[in-house]
Amino acid sequence: MSGGRGIGIGVEEIELARPDDLRGPVRRVRRERHRGHAFAEPHFDAGVDVHHGDGPQAVFWREPRVLTVSIHESGRTLFPGTGGLDERGAGAATGTKVNVPLPWGTGDGPWLRAIREVAAPAIRAFAPDVLVTQLGCDTHHLDPLAHLRITRNAYREAARLVHDLAHEVAGGRWFATGGGGYERVRAVPLAWTIWFAGMRGIELPDEVPAAWRDAVRAETGVVPPETFSEPPCEDAGVAADDAVDA
């Protein structure tokens, strides 16, 4: 499933995103459990879209059986302006809503650290029965709407990390949506190919198929990359690492 949306403002829908794309899969899992299917109570909902996943967070704000983690560009520089460290849930759910707001210019290293050192320990401690993730690729350094500097190399590593976590804590149960992404040749198709190959445990060759590149160039006039890997980008350095440490 691609095109998943994770942003919402109160009960108002906006053109960019709706609050319920990830709510549906999580609630479907809970319904199946009550019908006798083998799902335990805790569920995990994560977003690595560049925008804060405020919709799922709001839906499950008081729900202690759902852990949400959002790794995103700080609301100080990007819509919707939420996702601070102090947004942790309410009532019995306090502490089950986790946010990692990253500064403008964050690159691969701190972004992957956020997954390894914040998201992964939280997932292991929570021990969910199923992972539901929103895999936006508008974190890519070529995306026109945001300001992070993530490369396709980091997506490949992140896909391995989440795949291993899904099998470690959730019996391999992992539901994903594609999420945002607005660079349609050099980012979105390659990023989602990397992520969904990672879900299957498939190691992609580095070379992008020539037939696909020729077809895309003919349709768009843009020359696609020859490889899934790409050179690293400079990032925000210490400021980004400080954000992960916080």
Side-chain angles (χ1 to χ4, degrees):
M1 179 176 179
S2 61
R5 299 166 177 175
I7 306 171
I9 303 176
V11 296
E12 298 288 335
E13 291 190 4
I14 58 173
E15 184 175 355
L16 178 64
R18 295 191 330 217
D20 59 355
D21 274 21
L22 297 186
R23 175 181 61 181
V26 172
R27 289 188 170 172
R28 171 64 183 272
V29 167
R30 294 182 63 190
R31 286 198 302 270
E32 293 299 312
R33 176 184 181 274
H34 290 299
R35 292 173 182 166
H37 295 261
F39 292 107
E41 278 293 346
H43 311 306
F44 168 70
D45 164 43
V48 292
D49 192 276
V50 78
H51 302 92
H52 174 228
D54 63 331
Q57 176 180 283
V59 169
F60 298 112
W61 186 248
R62 295 181 177 275
E63 175 52 80
R65 294 167 294 183
V66 178
L67 169 69
T68 69
V69 177
S70 180
I71 301 170
H72 52 270
E73 182 176 337
S74 171
R76 295 180 179 180
T77 54
L78 189 68
F79 179 87
T82 55
L85 297 174
D86 59 338
E87 297 174 28
R88 303 180 62 242
T94 299
T96 63
K97 315 306 165 214
V98 178
N99 289 291
V100 185
L102 297 171
W104 188 99
T106 293
D108 290 356
W111 187 77
L112 287 169
R113 272 194 65 211
I115 297 174
R116 292 193 191 101
E117 299 179 21
V118 180
I123 295 167
R124 291 189 179 102
F126 196 72
D129 199 57
V130 61
L131 273 59
V132 179
T133 58
Q134 202 265 25
L135 306 174
C137 55
D138 41 6
T139 52
H140 193 266
H141 63 95
L142 293 176
D143 193 273
L145 297 188
H147 317 99
L148 298 191
R149 298 183 60 77
I150 311 305
T151 69
R152 298 187 298 270
N153 311 331
Y155 298 145
R156 189 186 289 259
E157 178 62 21
R160 293 192 192 103
L161 290 169
V162 180
H163 171 273
D164 291 348
L165 275 170
H167 285 270
E168 177 185 341
V169 304
R173 290 180 287 270
W174 177 13
F175 181 94
T177 66
Y182 307 95
E183 202 299 314
R184 64 178 182 151
V185 172
R186 295 164 292 178
V188 174
L190 301 183
W192 285 351
T193 299
I194 289 168
W195 273 110
F196 292 125
M199 290 187 74
R200 296 286 306 277
I202 296 170
E203 188 66 32
L204 291 173
D206 194 38
E207 184 177 359
V208 176
W212 181 83
R213 288 191 287 110
D214 291 344
V216 170
R217 182 175 183 179
E219 180 177 338
T220 67
V222 179
V223 179
E226 295 183 359
T227 61
F228 284 99
S229 61
E230 59 182 325
C233 294
E234 293 184 3
D235 64 26
V238 173
D241 281 316
D242 287 347
V244 177
D245 292 335

